[in-house]
Each structure stands twice: as C-alpha cells, then as structure tokens.
Amino acid sequence: MKPTSATVTFQQHDNRHELDLLAESGEGGKLLRAETKIGDDRVTVTLVPEISTEIVELKVVFPFEFDEKDHILMNGYQSWTVCKEYSIDTTNEIAEQMAKVLRHRKTDNTGDHDFTRYPKQNRWLHGVSYGYIRQKADFHFFGSLNEQQGFTFFDIDTKAGTLTVRKELEGRLFDSKFTALDIIFLKGNENEVFDGYFNALGITSTNAKPMTGYTTWYRHQQDISEKKLLSDIQDVSDSSSRFPCQIFCIDEGYENALGDWLTPKRTAFPHGIYPITQKIKNSGLRAGIWIAPFICEKHSRIFKKHNDWLLRDKDGNYVKACTSWNTCYCLDTSNPMFRRHLKNVLLTMRDDWGVSVFKFDFLYAACMLPSTSQTRAEKMYDCIHFLKDCVGDSVTIACGVPLMAAAGVMDYCQVSCDVSPDWFPTLAQSGREQNSTYRALMDMINHRQLAGRAFALYTNVLPINNPLFYFSRDKRFLLGRAMGISQGMIMTSDDFSTYDAEDIVAWNTIHQLRDAEIKDIYTKNKELIVEYELYKQPQRLKISLLE
C-alpha cells in the first residue's frame, strides 16, 4: 500500500518543526533526516536526529476503499480492551463520549484514553499493534513490526476511506538513528497472514500446553484464609481422578495490603504462605500465586515507607493505576531499588515458598507514563522481560497487558476482559475495559490467531455451576466450549463435590474440545458462528451478537 501523506512533527530546544516524509521537505529537514522506504507490502521510516529530539507526532495515512461487506478487526490496547470485528457503519461514539467522561473524572486509567485522541465522529475505529479488514476468508492485514520501540495506533475512517497509522513516541528524547515506524501489509487467508506476520516479527510462542487449574478468586474473592485454602486443596485433590487440575492458584487476598506481597494477613494466615504451597505441592499440584507487581495501595507498607519508589507525573503527583482497592498507584519501574525489591519478592515466592506458576496482573501499570529515555512501549517490554528473567522457567501468565509485549515471552496471556456475574452488564457499555462475560467470550474468539503464535491463551474462569454467576447453564456451556477450542489455560473456582450429571458432561465435553480444529468463523442473522471439527465430526458454536 502506498501512503497519501506522511509527516513527522518534532521538537528541539522548545522549537517545534514538521517534516514531510514523502517529499523530504519542510524546515525540519535540516534538523532531522528521514529515510522512508515504501514497498508494496511494507513501509519503514528511519529517523536520524542531529541533536536530542522529541518526536511529537509521526503519522502516515493510507487510502482504502471500504465495502459494505467488510469486517474490520481492531486489536485493543491491552488484555481487557474490547477486540471485535466492526462493520463499516459502526461508530465508536459511545466509547468516545465515555472516554472523555472517564478522562475528566479520572476514575479509570486502565486503557489508552489519556494518551489517545478519541474524536467525536461517526465511522471512526481505533486499535493498537495490528488489525485486519476481511471479506469471508480474504484478509487484508496490517501490523507493526517494531512495537518494542513505541506503541502503534491504527485509526480507520470508513467514511473518508483512510487508514491512519500513528506512532506513540511522545516524551522520549532520541539522539541517534532509530527505526521509528515499520508497518507490514499482508493478503491471504487467516493462517497465511498471521503466520506471515509472526514470521516477520521473528516471534515464536513458548509452546505452553493446555492446562487446567483451580483459582480461589471466583469462590472466595478476597476472603481467603489458611483454613479455607487447605480445605479447597483437599477438595481439588480428592476430585483429581475425575476433574484433573494441574495448578492451584492462590489469588488476591492473601497479602496484608496490595504491594506488600511477602506480608500475608496475620489472622487469616497465622503460619504464612509456605504451609499452603507445601500442601499444594504434596497434593500433586503446581503452586500458583497472583501478584500485581507494579502497583500498590495507599495503606501498604511500601507506599508509606518507600514512597520514593512511586511513579510521579510532571507535577509531582502520584500516578493512579486504577480505582480498585480504593485507588491504586503505579510504582516506578525504572527505580533500581524498587527493581531489586521486586526481584527479591519473586525469588522468595519461587525459591522459599515453592511457587512455580506466577499470575502477573495489572501489568499495563508499568507503562503509564513515558520518560525522556523510554517510551511507554519500551517500558512495557523491559518490564515483561524483567519479570520473566526473575522467575526463570516458572510458568507465567500475563494479565492486563498490551498483548504484543507478552508475545514470545509469557507462556500464557489473558486476551479478554474479566468475566462478570451477569452475561452482559449495563456498565460494560460505559468503557472499553469494563468486565463482561459476553465481551470476554468475544475477545477470546477474536484473539484466536495469537494462540500458538504469540503465547497460549489464558481463558479466564470456567463457571460450570458457580453460584457467583447469574447467567444460564446454556450460556455457561457456551463460554466453556469457546474456552475449550481456544486450547489454552482454563481456570475454575467450582466446588467439584456439587457437580451433578449434567455438570460432569459439560466438564468432559469442554476439555475434549482442546482437540478441536476451527474451520470457519462468520456472522449470519445477528449470530457469530464458529464451525469446527472434533474427531472429524463437524460442529457449530452459535453466539448471539449483542453489540
């Protein structure tokens, strides 16, 4: 594809300049040299600054003739962000308006609202890292080949007939030659374009195999204790011959305060975490633990004793990561003392407690603000590799993370928002990262191409008979079947002792679907239809489209 325009706006010594990358003209040409290579399937922009330079905006616009039969997929900013196929007349108006409300109220920092312009216009679609436009089995794919340098935003305006690519480099100072943009365009069927993309990236999955585990969260949520966990471990162990699990994960609630990971609640865990993990291992299970390594709450010891480790904005204010736990704050991942502390936490969990499965959550908090030496993406990639280096060959699960940063590094990655008690809560429509079981199902299916190429999928929780969920058995089974054909890691918080005959059939069927092969996915009569084969028998999964 050939761009119709390409410009870079940059700043040196408080003076702003602009350079036309196609004509190599403009006053900025004497201060910043550009090498733009345009091929049939790839566009690369290399910049050579004469002195320390901030790239304020890099934008390339491509023409595209959209058709009413087009299905447009835009990958979301991070795990929880909506990822769906749109029609050409879709509008993000609700999301755009809500993004402005959220930005104004400062109630949510989990998405890219604070550093992405959401213009109020119809037929404008926004995504990150990659996307595609397809008609039936014919894909027009576009993706970034240098996300580690800076996040790449793709904006589609179907009315104007444009695909705009923007590189998120603002705040970072560059003083030597670097590749600023590298975009690949591919045509073919689904496997051809995604195989081609990951081959060009040079990324291969860790080949993590499908696994099943038990997590405490959707049974007890934060209300966990030594007594409850020992009982759960026994229950999971006793049921292992019929409902085999490989992992028992201690989820949120064990710590005295968010951020104080080595200080368990004294009354709930009078003997610490070690007896729990030993019981897990002695039961033939792998001990897993949940940790949000880059955030802390105000009541934590780390906040009170080491507030110099917290990330601050240009005005000196603490940076909010989310509104959970009455507001959590980001830790400064560039602080060497904090990094040393975090490494000690992870090594203690691994070597002393015996944890061999780490569920890392709220990872986007590592890249809330760029610095003069690192873009948001550079921070995220650095932190993902840091975590993996700390825990070595332990099993790793990434949650709440820009997906391409986890590709080829993490064993499993969550590719959807969290499930919700209701199938499609009203609140889900108020933001792109809100919990919704329906959206989790759709996000999982729309990220299917990453399975086995970037990582294995972490498909969240399977609630076959869990009383915390209010939707029907049919919907639970529908969700479970989608988890099965995703061939990744399934977690459950079910009480196996309460399973009836129908629940047992559901469990077995869902796990058998890991041998299924997806043949086709399409929409018909406001339904998403997934056709697949299991043991050479054709089957269908039908999902009513609610958005």
Side-chain angles (χ1 to χ4, degrees), residues 101-117:
V101 171
L102 293 173
R103 185 186 298 117
H104 174 69
R105 295 180 180 177
K106 294 292 183 184
T107 57
D108 189 5
N109 301 75
T110 63
D112 64 353
H113 315 295
D114 281 340
F115 52 95
T116 300
R117 295 184 300 275

Side-chain angles (χ1 to χ4, degrees), residues 80 134 179 191 245 269 274 329 378 455 509 521 537:
W80 310 333
R134 74 167 179 90
T179 300
N191 286 330
C245 290
F269 295 93
Y274 177 75
Y329 298 91
E378 286 174 319
F455 33 62
T509 301
I521 295 182
Q537 297 298 313

Side-chain angles (χ1 to χ4, degrees), residues 266-285:
R266 187 172 300 176
T267 55
F269 295 93
H271 303 101
I273 300 301
Y274 177 75
I276 309 295
T277 53
Q278 285 303 108
K279 176 70 172 177
I280 294 170
K281 293 167 66 178
N282 291 338
S283 300
L285 300 164

Side-chain angles (χ1 to χ4, degrees), residues 14-304:
D14 297 326
N15 294 316
R16 186 164 292 197
H17 310 274
E18 185 172 293
L19 177 63
D20 186 331
L21 297 173
L22 299 183
E24 296 187 9
S25 63
E27 59 176 341
K30 299 177 181 179
L31 304 171
L32 178 71
R33 290 192 294 112
E35 301 170 4
T36 305
K37 296 181 179 179
I38 301 174
D40 292 335
D41 61 357
R42 192 164 178 176
V43 174
T44 305
V45 177
T46 302
L47 297 178
V48 187
E50 295 296 325
I51 59 174
S52 184
T53 300
E54 177 187 358
I55 308 302
V56 178
E57 183 179 68
L58 173 58
K59 183 170 69 172
V60 182
V61 180
F62 298 89
F64 195 91
E65 189 174 337
F66 293 94
D67 187 277
E68 62 180 11
K69 296 179 181 178
D70 285 341
H71 297 269
I72 305 168
L73 182 129
M74 307 296 282
N75 176 58
Y77 169 60
Q78 54 115 323
S79 301
W80 310 333
T81 309
V82 172
C83 177
K84 58 183 282 189
E85 288 192 345
Y86 300 87
S87 63
I88 67 165
D89 58 354
T90 302
T91 173
N92 272 347
E93 187 171 353
I94 293 176
E96 294 152 17
Q97 292 173 345
M98 186 52 60
K100 293 179 180 179
V101 171
L102 293 173
R103 185 186 298 117
H104 174 69
R105 295 180 180 177
K106 294 292 183 184
T107 57
D108 189 5
N109 301 75
T110 63
D112 64 353
H113 315 295
D114 281 340
F115 52 95
T116 300
R117 295 184 300 275
Y118 280 74
K120 185 180 178 181
Q121 63 184 62
N122 291 337
R123 298 171 73 174
W124 177 86
L125 305 174
H126 167 67
V128 183
S129 300
Y130 74 89
Y132 61 71
I133 303 159
R134 74 167 179 90
Q135 286 193 18
K136 296 184 177 180
D138 297 324
F139 284 69
H140 290 257
F141 177 93
F142 47 87
S144 168
L145 295 178
N146 71 332
E147 284 299 84
Q148 69 278 8
Q149 180 70 74
F151 295 130
T152 307
F153 298 149
F154 294 95
D155 302 330
I156 281 180
D157 186 334
T158 58
K159 187 174 183 179
T162 58
L163 166 63
T164 300
V165 184
R166 294 180 292 114
K167 199 69 176 178
E168 212 275 314
L169 301 170
E170 193 170 358
R172 167 79 145 87
L173 295 179
F174 296 91
D175 56 11
S176 59
K177 182 177 180 178
F178 70 102
T179 300
L181 188 73
D182 194 358
I183 305 299
I184 192 170
F185 298 93
L186 299 167
K187 294 181 182 180
N189 62 37
E190 183 173 300
N191 286 330
E192 288 171 343
V193 299
F194 278 93
D195 284 344
Y197 180 49
F198 280 92
N199 285 337
L201 283 169
I203 288 177
T204 56
S205 173
T206 64
N207 293 319
K209 305 302 181 185
M211 297 183 77
T212 301
Y214 175 90
T215 174
T216 59
W217 179 252
Y218 290 98
R219 187 164 180 181
H220 307 295
Q221 295 193 320
Q222 292 175 305
D223 186 21
I224 59 176
S225 66
E226 179 181 294
K227 182 178 179 180
K228 288 181 178 179
L229 296 198
L230 291 176
S231 176
D232 285 359
I233 295 165
Q234 191 63 52
D235 290 345
V236 173
S237 179
D238 290 345
S239 304
S240 61
S241 61
R242 302 174 70 194
F243 314 109
C245 290
Q246 293 82 48
I247 300 167
F248 186 103
C249 184
I250 305 169
D251 216 296
E252 206 275 311
Y254 65 91
E255 74 287 350
N256 191 51
L258 206 74
D260 299 339
W261 308 111
L262 299 184
T263 311
K265 292 176 180 175
R266 187 172 300 176
T267 55
F269 295 93
H271 303 101
I273 300 301
Y274 177 75
I276 309 295
T277 53
Q278 285 303 108
K279 176 70 172 177
I280 294 170
K281 293 167 66 178
N282 291 338
S283 300
L285 300 164
R286 300 189 69 152
I289 202 160
W290 176 92
I291 179 172
F294 304 126
I295 65 176
C296 68
E297 60 180 304
K298 202 167 187 176
H299 301 295
S300 64
R301 181 180 298 176
I302 194 172
F303 184 95
K304 295 175 181 178

